[in-house]
Amino acid sequence: MEKNLTYKILEGHLVSGELKKGEEIGIKIDQTLTQDSTGTMVYLQLEAMNIKEINTDLSVAYIDHNTLQTGFENADDHEFIKSSAAKYGIVFSKPGNGICHQLHLENFGKPGGTLIGSDSHTPTNGGLGMISIGAGGLDVAVAMATGKYWLKMPEVLNVELTGKLNTWVSAKDIILYILDELSVKGGVGKVIEYSGEGLKYLSVTDRATITNMGAELGATTSIFPSDEETYKYLKSQNREDDFVELKADDNAEYDDVLEINLEDIVPLVAKPHSPDNVDTIENIKGLKVDQVAIGSCTNSSYTDLMKVANILKGEKVHPDVSLSISPGSSKILNMLAENGALADMISAGARVLECACGPCIGMGQAPKNNAISLRTFNRNFYGRSGTKSAHVYLVSPEVAAISAIRGSVEDPRKLGNIMDIDVPEIFKENDNLFVYPPNDRNGLEVKMGPNIKPFPINGQLKEGVDGKVVLNVGDDITTDHIMPSNASLLPYRSNIPYLSKYAFSTIDEDFWKRCEKNQGGFIIGGDNYGQGSSREHAALVPLYLGIKAIIVKSFARIHKANLINAGIIPLEFVDEENYKNIDIGDDLEITNLINELKVDGEVYIVNKTKDIKVKTKFTGSSRDVEILREGGYLNWVKKNFGGIKND
Amino acid sequence: MEKNLTYKILEGHLVSGELKKGEEIGIKIDQTLTQDSTGTMVYLQLEAMNIKEINTDLSVAYIDHNTLQTGFENADDHEFIKSSAAKYGIVFSKPGNGICHQLHLENFGKPGGTLIGSDSHTPTNGGLGMISIGAGGLDVAVAMATGKYWLKMPEVLNVELTGKLNTWVSAKDIILYILDELSVKGGVGKVIEYSGEGLKYLSVTDRATITNMGAELGATTSIFPSDEETYKYLKSQNREDDFVELKADDNAEYDDVLEINLEDIVPLVAKPHSPDNVDTIENIKGLKVDQVAIGSCTNSSYTDLMKVANILKGEKVHPDVSLSISPGSSKILNMLAENGALADMISAGARVLECACGPCIGMGQAPKNNAISLRTFNRNFYGRSGTKSAHVYLVSPEVAAISAIRGSVEDPRKLGNIMDIDVPEIFKENDNLFVYPPNDRNGLEVKMGPNIKPFPINGQLKEGVDGKVVLNVGDDITTDHIMPSNASLLPYRSNIPYLSKYAFSTIDEDFWKRCEKNQGGFIIGGDNYGQGSSREHAALVPLYLGIKAIIVKSFARIHKANLINAGIIPLEFVDEENYKNIDIGDDLEITNLINELKVDGEVYIVNKTKDIKVKTKFTGSSRDVEILREGGYLNWVKKNFGGIKND
C-alpha cells in the first residue's frame, strides 16, 4: 500500500492497536507541551502520580496565557509550574518568552516526531511535518508519565494545493478559504494532510499558520511534508540536524481529497462570531474599524510582522483606531528591535504588547462596546475578546495593518506593490528566557500558592443515574461558552470551585445555581458541542457541579475526550429529532448504564417528565469505556499504572 | 524683598489673595492634565458645567493608568475621554503613548507656567521650572472651566544642593535621601525649591525624578530653576521657544533651608512599606530578588533606560527573576528601538511592557506571594503591587538592572566603570499618538458607556450631624487604603457605587457594610491621613457611603481638599491625645456646626457613648467654609459661576 505521511509517522510510533480508521491506537509520544492556563492542572495531576521524572524525549512548560498578572495568583502559578518543571526534568519557558506554539516551532519541533500539548492549537507544529495533537491536560500528564497517548485513528483528508498565491494573499487566507469550504465541523475525526505543487511557495511559518487554524476545522491535526522549506527553516534556527525529509508516497491512499488552486484565493475575512463565517475583504471594504490587534500563535512569524512593519513604516495609525501588536516570540521581537522594524511600528503609533497570547484569549485589549475589531487571530467566538457586544473579524496581517492606517477595512490589493520580505538565513540565537532543568533534581519540591486548589475526582460508574436537565443548548457550543476564559477568570485556572460559578455564564448566569440546587444533572446540546480550546476545565467544572452525562447531536473531539477523562458520560442522539423532546427541567434517568455503556453501545434515557424513552449511543473505545467505569482517567491510570502518590 | 522662584511665578499668576504663608490665594492656571483613572470623573464634572470650551492655554487628557483593558469598561472610558476632549478643545493622548508626566515634560511643560493635574505626581514638571500641582479631579475640572485654582499659600523650603554625585549614585538616591531626612510628612504645606551649585550636574529628567517623588514628601510641589540644562532639554524636544531663564533672586527669602552635599549620598533604597523607610543598598546587599520592575513616571527617562540597557547588554536576567520594563513614553521607546538599546534589553530576557504606569499602580505584574520586588517606582505602599504579602523596595534604575542579572540586591559601585550616556541633542519627533481637537467642534457629543455612572453630590450643610464611628485608623493612612487602586478596581473608576464596596478593604473588609448599616457616620484617623495618590474617589466613595466628617491628627493636603470638595468635613484634634478617646462604634454628635465651622474655627464633638466633649479645629480658608456650607465644590461653582447644565 502507498502510505500517506500521517500513516508513516503513526506507524513508527505505534504501541497498541491497528492503523485502521476509527480503531483506537496507542502511540509513543516524543514531546509534550503545556501552557500556564491548562498547565497548573496538568502539574497537579502529574504530582498526583508517583513518578520520578518524565518519560518523553522532551517536555516543555510554557507561560504565555496569563502574563498580565493582575493578582498574585498568576505569579504563584508561574512559580508552581517552574518548580514542577525543575522537579520532573521539564524545560520551563519564562513569561515574556512568547507563545508556546511559536516557541516550540522555533526551538523544539521535529519532522517525523509526535507532540501532544494541552492547548488546542498544538497542531501548529504540523507545519514542520510533526504529528502534533491538542489534548486535554490529563492526557498530557499521562503522556509525560508514561510516554504514551491513545486516540481513535482518524481519517486522513488530503488537501492538494496547486498554483501560487496572488500578491497580497497569504497563508491566513488559505486556511480561511478551507474553513469556508469545510466549516468548523469539517475536520472532526480527521488529520488534514497537505500536499501538492503549491507547497513550494509556502514557508514553514506559512504552513504553521494553516496547521494552527486547522484546530478551527475541528481536525485532530494538520500536517505538511518535511521538504526543502523545512530544511531552510530548521537551518535558520540552527537546528538543521533535526531535519529529515518526509512525504507521502506517490499515489498514497487518502480517505478524501480536497483540491485547491491557490490562484483562486482572494483576501478573506471571518466575520463574527465564527471562524467559518467567511467572506471576502472586498465585500466588507470601508467598514469603520475601532481596534486592530496583530499577533497570536496564528500570525506572528518574522515574515508576518515584517510585512506589518513595512506597511506601517512612515505612516500613522488612524486617530480612531487602537493598534496593538503582540509578537509571538522574544526571538522575533529581538530581531525586529535590531533591524529597525519595531521602531517603524512604534513610530506609526502601534501599542507594542508583551510576547504572549494577550488579546487573542481576551487577556487584555478588550474593545469598547459595539467595537469593530480586526484581529489576525484564530478565533472570533462570541465574547472571547472580553467585550460581549464587540464584533471581531479575523484577517491577515496585511489587511490588519492597512486597515489600522486607513481607519476602515481596506483591500490590500489596492496597494499595488509587492513586499519582498528577506527572511534571514540564520535567526538570532537567544534562549535567555528558557530555564533548563538541573541535572541533580533530588529533593526539589513544588511550590504551591494559596489559590491552587485540588481538582475534583469522580467516583466509579453506577448502574443507574438520574437527575434534572439543568441546561439545554444549541449547536456549536464552544469551550468558551462552557467555561469562559477571560482576564478575570484566567487567574483562577487552578481553582475549580471558584471557576464553577462562571460555567456557561455568557449564556446562562444561573446555570451554576441550578446545578447546586439539583446536585448536578444532565446537559442537552446540539451539533459540535465543545468546539474550540482544549481546556479540560470545561469538563472538570461540570464534574465539580455534579453533571453526570451530556447528551448532544455530536461532540468536538478534544472536549469529548476531556469529558471521558473526567468520568462524565458523553452520549449522542441516535435520532437527532429527539433533541427536541428533552427540555430544561425534565427528569431523566438511565437505568442500565453498566450494561449499556460499551463500545458503540446504545444507552436509553428515560424522560420521566415526558414519559418517553430516548435512544442514544456511546461512541468510544474499549479504553474509554474502562475509563468511564473507573470514574475518570486518573482513576484508570491509578489502576493500570499503579502508584498514585496521594492514595 | 529678594524673591524666591516660587513667589515670582505665583506673583505673575495671582488672581486673588496675598502671597502670605497660610493665606488662600487664587492663581491663573495655564495648563491642566488628567489621566484616565481620575479623568473620567473630571470629564463627568466638566460635562455638568455648562461651558463651551476650556479656559486654559492648554489642557491634555492622557490615558496611561488603565491600558490593560481586561474588560470593555476601560476602552469605553478611553472613548468617553476622547470624545470629551474633542468637544471641549482638549488634546487627547491615546493609550500606549506613555505616562502623563513624562509626556507632559517632553511635549508641553513650560518654565514659569502653572499646571494642575488630577494626579499626585503632577509636580514632575517642576523639573522644568513650572509650578505643577497635583489636585483633586474637581479642582482640575473647575480650572479647565474657569482658568483658576485656589490654594493655601505654602511655605517655601529651599533645598540647596552642593557638590556632585558619586559614580553610580543618581537622582533617585537624592530624593530617597531627602525622604530619609524629612519623612513622608516633611513636605506638607510646602513648596520645595531647589537651588545651589549642584544643580549644574542634574539634567531636567534628573530634576523631574526628584520633583516627581516630592509628592512622597507630601509637598504641594517641588520646583527647579530654569537654566542651561532646561534650555538643553527643551531644545532636544524642539521646544527652545518655550525656554525662559528663571531663578530665585540672590539671597532670596525662604521659610526654611536644607543643605545637601551631593557627595554624601550613597545608593539608597526605600524598604517596605513606605518611601521614607530608607536604608543604604549596602545594608540590604545579597537579598534574593524575585521580581524587578523598571519604569514609571519617576524613572523612565532616556538616560535611565539607556543605563539599564547598557547594564543588561550581553548579560542574562537571572533565571529566578522576572524583569519587566515599562517605558514612560513611546518617543523614548522609539529611540531605544532605533538605537539598539531595546534589542539589548530583550536579548537579556527583559519583558517589555506597554508604555504606561503599569506595575507601579498595580496594573499588572503583581508579584508572587511573599516576593521580594525591586522597583524603580515612587511608592511601595502595602498592597499597592497587587500582592499583599509582597515586599516592595524602591531603588534606582542602576540598582534594579544589576540586581536583575545577579538575582539578588547588588551595590552598583562594585561595577567600577562609569557609564556615559550620550543624550541626543535632538530627540525623535513623533506625536502620532496625540489626537488634537478639531477646530470646528460644533455638535460634538460625548460618548458614555454603560459602566459610567453619575457621581454623588452632597447636600447643604446642616446645623447638627450625628452618627456612629464606623472606622478608627492609625497614622499615615494612604488613599490606597481608603480607595484601593488595583487591576480589578481601576476599570470601575467611573462607577462609584461599585467601588464603594472596596473602600478600606485592605484593612477592614466590613467597612462598607458598617456604613450601609449605620447610614454612614464618622471616621477617626491619625497623622497624615490621606497621603499618596490624588484620587478624589477617596472622598467621593466615603461621600457615597454617608461619611459626614473625618476627624484626624493631621491631613495630607490633596486629600483634605478633596474632602472639602465632596462636602465631607475634615477636622483635626486640638489635643492629639483625644484620638484615644474615640472608639469604633461610639455615637458622636456635632450640634452647632454652622456656627463653629469657620476659618480656624473650633468644632466640638460630643462623644455620647463616652459622655465627653472633644475639641477639634477646622483649618481652611473662607472659600473652603463656603464650599462646605454649600455641600461641596460643584454646588459652590454652580452658585458662583452659574449655569450647571444638569440643573
Side-chain angles (χ1 to χ4, degrees):
Chain A
M1 185 186 97
E2 277 71 31
K3 295 170 185 169
N4 60 50
L5 175 57
T6 305
Y7 190 97
K8 286 184 186 183
I9 300 177
L10 291 177
E11 192 176 38
H13 287 79
L14 200 69
V15 292
S16 70
E18 262 189 286
L19 293 177
K20 282 185 183 164
K21 187 171 76 179
E23 298 275 301
E24 186 179 85
I25 56 169
I27 56 172
K28 178 183 178 309
I29 293 299
D30 302 327
Q31 301 184 352
T32 68
L33 69 80
T34 58
Q35 35 89 337
D36 49 310
S37 87
T38 56
T40 48
M41 212 42 78
V42 173
Y43 296 105
L44 281 172
Q45 290 155 346
L46 198 64
E47 183 68 9
M49 303 176 198
N50 194 12
I51 65 157
K52 194 161 171 266
E53 59 184 4
I54 52 163
N55 211 357
T56 55
D57 297 346
L58 172 89
S59 289
V60 190
Y62 296 93
I63 306 290
D64 57 9
H65 272 54
N66 202 335
T67 65
L68 292 187
Q69 297 178 219
T70 55
F72 71 85
E73 294 85 359
N74 312 129
D76 276 8
D77 281 355
H78 301 172
E79 182 69 18
F80 167 63
I81 292 173
K82 180 166 181 270
S83 61
S84 298
K87 179 174 173 183
Y88 295 110
I90 296 161
V91 178
F92 178 72
S93 169
K94 288 171 79 175
N97 199 14
I99 310 173
C100 59
H101 309 302
Q102 181 77 25
L103 290 170
H104 208 85
L105 198 72
E106 289 171 2
N107 297 281
F108 304 114
K110 287 187 185 182
T114 54
L115 164 72
I116 72 167
S118 62
D119 187 282
S120 59
H121 289 105
T122 303
T124 310
N125 274 256
L128 267 179
M130 185 175 206
I131 290 283
S132 312
I133 303 178
L138 190 47
D139 284 319
V140 177
V142 172
M144 277 194 263
T146 67
K148 290 171 191 157
Y149 174 62
W150 292 266
L151 75 161
K152 204 178 265 190
M153 178 64 195
E155 292 182 25
V156 183
L157 164 63
N158 178 219
V159 174
E160 198 186 339
L161 303 175
T162 56
K164 189 181 171 184
L165 289 173
N166 288 305
T167 308
W168 296 107
V169 183
S170 65
K172 181 65 159 278
D173 300 305
I174 299 176
I175 187 65
L176 289 176
Y177 183 91
I178 297 172
L179 274 155
D180 191 33
E181 291 283 313
L182 300 181
S183 90
V184 291
K185 294 178 284 189
V188 174
K190 295 174 189 168
V191 173
I192 299 177
E193 185 174 316
Y194 290 84
S195 69
E197 285 191 18
L199 290 190
K200 63 176 176 284
Y201 304 113
L202 299 177
S203 69
V204 162
T205 54
D206 288 337
R207 297 171 184 186
T209 295
I210 295 167
T211 55
N212 173 282
M213 270 190 86
E216 275 51 72
L217 294 162
T220 302
T221 191
S222 303
I223 190 165
F224 278 82
S226 175
D227 57 15
E228 278 171 39
E229 283 295 324
T230 319
Y231 178 76
K232 204 161 86 183
Y233 180 78
L234 287 170
K235 188 162 182 293
S236 76
Q237 307 295 330
N238 284 304
R239 298 206 288 129
E240 59 261 55
D241 289 353
D242 289 341
F243 176 73
V244 283
E245 196 183 350
L246 283 173
K247 58 176 183 176
D249 292 336
D250 293 343
N251 304 312
E253 281 183 24
Y254 290 99
D255 295 291
D256 206 350
V257 178
L258 174 66
E259 288 174 21
I260 297 176
N261 185 341
L262 298 176
E263 286 167 27
D264 295 342
I265 303 178
V266 296
L268 295 172
V269 56
K271 297 190 293 188
H273 295 286
S274 180
D276 65 355
N277 188 16
V278 175
D279 203 342
T280 63
I281 288 294
E282 182 73 22
N283 277 347
I284 65 160
K285 207 176 58 180
L287 182 71
K288 191 161 164 45
V289 170
D290 300 294
Q291 183 190 55
V292 175
I294 292 173
S296 89
C297 57
T298 309
N299 274 126
S300 56
S301 67
Y302 179 85
T303 308
D304 283 340
L305 296 181
M306 284 303 296
K307 283 182 195 167
V308 170
N310 284 356
I311 293 170
L312 292 178
K313 187 171 186 165
E315 301 282 346
K316 173 179 174 171
V317 173
H318 192 278
D320 293 340
V321 172
S322 166
L323 167 64
S324 70
I325 299 175
S326 38
S329 84
S330 59
K331 186 191 278 190
I332 303 289
L333 178 64
N334 207 343
M335 292 167 72
L336 300 178
E338 283 184 350
N339 72 14
L342 191 63
D344 293 334
M345 292 169 170
I346 296 164
S347 189
R351 305 168 65 175
V352 180
L353 309 180
E354 192 173 21
C355 298
C357 303
C360 179
I361 54 164
M363 206 65 205
Q365 302 300 308
K368 67 183 179 187
N369 271 302
N370 305 306
I372 302 291
S373 177
L374 255 53
R375 301 175 159 216
T376 68
F377 306 161
N378 44 44
R379 287 179 180 152
N380 58 348
F381 299 149
Y382 176 71
R384 184 176 165 100
S385 69
T387 303
K388 287 185 189 179
S389 66
H391 306 275
V392 176
Y393 292 74
L394 306 177
V395 298
S396 69
E398 295 90 323
V399 169
I402 293 160
S403 305
I405 298 166
R406 302 292 161 88
S408 58
V409 175
E410 185 65 82
D411 190 330
R413 291 175 298 179
K414 292 285 160 64
L415 294 187
N417 292 340
I418 297 175
M419 292 181 301
D420 273 326
I421 304 297
D422 284 328
V423 179
E425 280 184 32
I426 303 293
F427 275 41
K428 186 175 173 72
E429 272 208 84
N430 181 3
D431 64 353
N432 279 344
L433 281 157
F434 282 110
V435 181
Y436 297 94
N439 288 326
D440 180 8
R441 300 194 297 277
N442 270 327
L444 292 180
E445 291 290 335
V446 299
K447 295 171 191 167
M448 259 189 237
N451 182 52
I452 301 175
K453 305 284 186 206
F455 53 93
I457 297 181
N458 217 327
Q460 285 203 327
L461 192 72
K462 289 183 188 148
E463 182 62 36
V465 295
D466 58 5
K468 276 198 190 302
V469 174
V470 286
L471 193 73
N472 192 327
V473 289
D475 291 345
D476 297 324
I477 288 295
T478 72
T479 48
D480 280 355
H481 290 108
I482 304 171
M483 190 57 252
S485 174
N486 58 39
S488 50
L489 291 180
L490 263 182
Y492 296 93
R493 278 296 180 87
S494 21
N495 189 339
I496 298 291
Y498 182 91
L499 283 183
S500 70
K501 296 188 169 49
Y502 298 89
F504 286 103
S505 59
T506 57
I507 49 181
D508 184 345
E509 288 190 354
D510 294 326
F511 171 72
W512 75 273
K513 289 181 197 159
R514 213 153 42 236
C515 288
E516 198 171 62
K517 188 180 159 197
N518 296 293
Q519 296 175 293
F522 296 83
I523 292 172
I524 307 298
D527 259 326
N528 198 23
Y529 179 91
Q531 67 163 323
S533 143
S534 71
R535 74 191 67 130
E536 61 186 338
H537 300 75
L540 291 174
V541 164
L543 166 61
Y544 179 81
L545 290 169
I547 298 301
K548 291 159 185 125
I550 297 176
I551 309 154
V552 301
K553 292 180 184 171
S554 66
F555 284 102
R557 183 187 61 85
I558 301 177
H559 183 60
K560 184 176 168 188
N562 283 335
L563 290 175
I564 293 170
N565 285 349
I568 296 175
I569 304 156
L571 298 171
E572 288 160 86
F573 291 107
V574 170
D575 177 359
E576 290 191 358
E577 285 298 304
N578 272 318
Y579 168 77
K580 297 177 193 156
N581 292 328
I582 308 184
D583 293 314
I584 196 161
D586 284 0
D587 278 304
L588 304 190
E589 187 173 15
I590 309 175
T591 53
N592 196 15
L593 198 46
I594 291 184
N595 262 333
E596 289 177 355
L597 194 75
K598 56 191 178 192
V599 176
D600 299 326
E602 291 182 345
V603 178
Y604 288 86
I605 315 280
V606 180
N607 185 335
K608 295 192 285 186
T609 305
K610 300 219 163 54
D611 199 18
I612 51 171
K613 209 165 182 177
V614 171
K615 188 159 78 171
T616 71
K617 64 188 172 190
F618 171 75
T619 55
S621 67
S622 57
R623 202 175 117 282
D624 291 339
V625 172
E626 284 176 36
I627 289 171
L628 284 170
R629 281 175 188 249
E630 293 303 324
Y633 200 20
L634 203 75
N635 295 343
W636 182 86
V637 171
K638 175 179 159 179
K639 188 176 169 191
N640 289 278
F641 290 83
I644 296 292
K645 191 173 152 191
N646 302 330
D647 208 355
Chain B
M1 187 185 96
E2 276 71 32
K3 294 172 186 167
N4 60 49
L5 175 57
T6 305
Y7 190 96
K8 287 185 184 182
I9 300 177
L10 291 178
E11 192 176 40
H13 287 80
L14 200 68
V15 292
S16 70
E18 261 190 286
L19 292 176
K20 283 185 182 165
K21 187 171 79 180
E23 298 276 300
E24 186 178 85
I25 56 170
I27 55 172
K28 178 182 179 309
I29 293 299
D30 302 327
Q31 301 184 353
T32 67
L33 69 81
T34 58
Q35 35 91 338
D36 49 310
S37 87
T38 57
T40 47
M41 211 44 76
V42 173
Y43 296 105
L44 281 172
Q45 289 155 347
L46 198 65
E47 182 69 7
M49 303 176 198
N50 196 11
I51 66 159
K52 194 163 171 263
E53 59 184 4
I54 52 163
N55 211 356
T56 54
D57 297 346
L58 172 88
S59 289
V60 190
Y62 296 93
I63 307 291
D64 58 8
H65 272 54
N66 203 336
T67 64
L68 292 188
Q69 297 176 222
T70 54
F72 70 86
E73 294 84 359
N74 312 128
D76 276 7
D77 281 355
H78 301 172
E79 182 69 18
F80 167 63
I81 293 174
K82 181 166 181 267
S83 60
S84 298
K87 179 175 174 182
Y88 295 109
I90 295 161
V91 178
F92 178 73
S93 170
K94 289 170 79 174
N97 200 14
I99 309 174
C100 57
H101 309 302
Q102 180 77 25
L103 290 170
H104 209 84
L105 197 72
E106 290 171 1
N107 297 282
F108 304 114
K110 286 187 185 183
T114 54
L115 164 72
I116 72 167
S118 63
D119 187 281
S120 59
H121 290 104
T122 302
T124 310
N125 274 257
L128 266 179
M130 184 173 208
I131 290 282
S132 313
I133 303 178
L138 190 46
D139 284 318
V140 178
V142 173
M144 277 194 263
T146 67
K148 291 171 191 156
Y149 173 62
W150 293 267
L151 75 162
K152 202 178 267 189
M153 178 64 193
E155 294 182 25
V156 184
L157 164 63
N158 177 221
V159 174
E160 197 186 341
L161 304 175
T162 57
K164 190 181 170 184
L165 289 174
N166 288 305
T167 309
W168 295 108
V169 183
S170 65
K172 182 64 158 279
D173 300 306
I174 300 176
I175 188 63
L176 289 177
Y177 183 91
I178 298 172
L179 274 156
D180 191 32
E181 291 283 315
L182 301 180
S183 90
V184 291
K185 294 178 284 191
V188 174
K190 296 174 188 167
V191 173
I192 299 177
E193 183 175 316
Y194 290 84
S195 70
E197 285 191 18
L199 290 189
K200 63 176 176 283
Y201 305 113
L202 299 177
S203 68
V204 163
T205 54
D206 289 338
R207 298 170 183 186
T209 295
I210 294 167
T211 55
N212 173 282
M213 268 189 88
E216 274 51 73
L217 294 163
T220 302
T221 190
S222 303
I223 190 165
F224 277 82
S226 174
D227 57 14
E228 280 172 37
E229 283 296 325
T230 319
Y231 178 75
K232 203 162 87 182
Y233 181 78
L234 287 170
K235 187 162 184 291
S236 77
Q237 306 296 329
N238 285 304
R239 298 206 288 127
E240 58 262 56
D241 289 351
D242 289 340
F243 177 73
V244 283
E245 197 182 350
L246 283 174
K247 58 176 182 178
D249 293 335
D250 292 343
N251 304 313
E253 281 182 26
Y254 290 100
D255 295 290
D256 206 352
V257 178
L258 174 67
E259 288 175 20
I260 296 175
N261 184 341
L262 297 177
E263 286 168 26
D264 294 342
I265 304 178
V266 297
L268 296 171
V269 56
K271 298 190 293 187
H273 295 285
S274 180
D276 65 355
N277 187 16
V278 174
D279 202 344
T280 63
I281 288 294
E282 182 73 21
N283 276 347
I284 65 158
K285 207 176 60 180
L287 182 72
K288 193 164 163 40
V289 170
D290 300 294
Q291 183 190 55
V292 175
I294 292 173
S296 89
C297 56
T298 309
N299 275 127
S300 57
S301 67
Y302 180 84
T303 307
D304 283 340
L305 296 182
M306 283 304 294
K307 282 182 195 168
V308 170
N310 284 356
I311 293 170
L312 292 177
K313 187 171 186 165
E315 301 282 346
K316 174 179 173 171
V317 173
H318 191 278
D320 293 341
V321 173
S322 166
L323 166 64
S324 69
I325 299 174
S326 39
S329 84
S330 59
K331 186 191 278 191
I332 303 287
L333 179 64
N334 207 345
M335 292 167 72
L336 301 178
E338 282 184 350
N339 72 14
L342 191 63
D344 292 335
M345 292 169 169
I346 296 164
S347 188
R351 304 168 66 175
V352 180
L353 308 180
E354 193 174 17
C355 297
C357 303
C360 180
I361 54 164
M363 207 63 206
Q365 301 302 308
K368 67 183 179 188
N369 270 302
N370 305 305
I372 303 293
S373 177
L374 256 54
R375 301 177 159 215
T376 68
F377 305 161
N378 43 43
R379 287 180 180 152
N380 58 348
F381 299 150
Y382 176 71
R384 184 175 164 100
S385 69
T387 302
K388 288 185 187 180
S389 67
H391 307 276
V392 176
Y393 292 74
L394 306 176
V395 297
S396 69
E398 295 90 323
V399 169
I402 293 160
S403 304
I405 298 166
R406 302 292 160 88
S408 58
V409 175
E410 185 66 80
D411 189 331
R413 292 175 296 179
K414 292 286 160 61
L415 293 188
N417 291 341
I418 297 174
M419 292 181 301
D420 274 326
I421 304 297
D422 285 327
V423 179
E425 280 183 31
I426 302 293
F427 275 42
K428 186 176 173 72
E429 272 209 84
N430 181 2
D431 65 353
N432 278 344
L433 281 157
F434 282 110
V435 181
Y436 297 93
N439 288 326
D440 181 8
R441 299 195 297 278
N442 271 326
L444 291 180
E445 291 290 334
V446 299
K447 295 172 190 165
M448 258 191 236
N451 182 53
I452 300 175
K453 305 284 185 206
F455 52 94
I457 296 181
N458 217 328
Q460 284 203 325
L461 193 71
K462 290 185 188 145
E463 183 63 37
V465 296
D466 58 5
K468 275 198 191 304
V469 175
V470 285
L471 194 71
N472 191 326
V473 290
D475 291 346
D476 297 325
I477 287 295
T478 71
T479 48
D480 279 356
H481 290 110
I482 304 170
M483 190 58 251
S485 173
N486 58 40
S488 51
L489 290 180
L490 264 180
Y492 296 92
R493 276 295 180 87
S494 21
N495 189 340
I496 298 290
Y498 183 91
L499 283 183
S500 70
K501 295 188 169 51
Y502 298 90
F504 285 104
S505 59
T506 57
I507 49 181
D508 184 345
E509 288 189 355
D510 294 326
F511 171 72
W512 74 274
K513 288 182 197 159
R514 213 151 45 235
C515 288
E516 198 172 61
K517 188 180 159 198
N518 296 294
Q519 294 173 293
F522 296 84
I523 292 173
I524 307 299
D527 258 328
N528 197 22
Y529 180 90
Q531 68 163 322
S533 144
S534 72
R535 74 192 66 129
E536 63 186 335
H537 299 75
L540 291 173
V541 163
L543 166 61
Y544 179 81
L545 289 170
I547 299 301
K548 290 157 185 126
I550 297 177
I551 309 154
V552 301
K553 293 181 184 171
S554 66
F555 284 102
R557 183 187 61 83
I558 301 177
H559 183 59
K560 185 177 168 187
N562 284 335
L563 290 175
I564 293 170
N565 286 349
I568 296 176
I569 304 156
L571 297 172
E572 287 161 85
F573 292 106
V574 170
D575 177 359
E576 290 192 358
E577 286 298 302
N578 273 321
Y579 168 76
K580 296 176 193 156
N581 293 328
I582 307 183
D583 294 313
I584 195 161
D586 284 359
D587 277 305
L588 304 189
E589 188 172 14
I590 309 175
T591 52
N592 196 16
L593 199 46
I594 290 184
N595 262 332
E596 291 176 353
L597 195 75
K598 54 190 179 193
V599 176
D600 298 327
E602 290 181 349
V603 179
Y604 288 87
I605 315 280
V606 180
N607 186 336
K608 295 193 283 188
T609 306
K610 300 218 164 54
D611 199 17
I612 51 173
K613 210 166 183 177
V614 171
K615 188 158 78 171
T616 71
K617 63 188 174 196
F618 171 74
T619 55
S621 68
S622 58
R623 202 174 117 284
D624 290 339
V625 172
E626 282 177 37
I627 289 172
L628 284 170
R629 281 174 189 251
E630 292 303 325
Y633 199 21
L634 203 75
N635 294 342
W636 183 87
V637 172
K638 175 177 158 179
K639 189 176 170 190
N640 289 280
F641 291 83
I644 295 292
K645 191 174 156 191
N646 302 331
D647 209 356

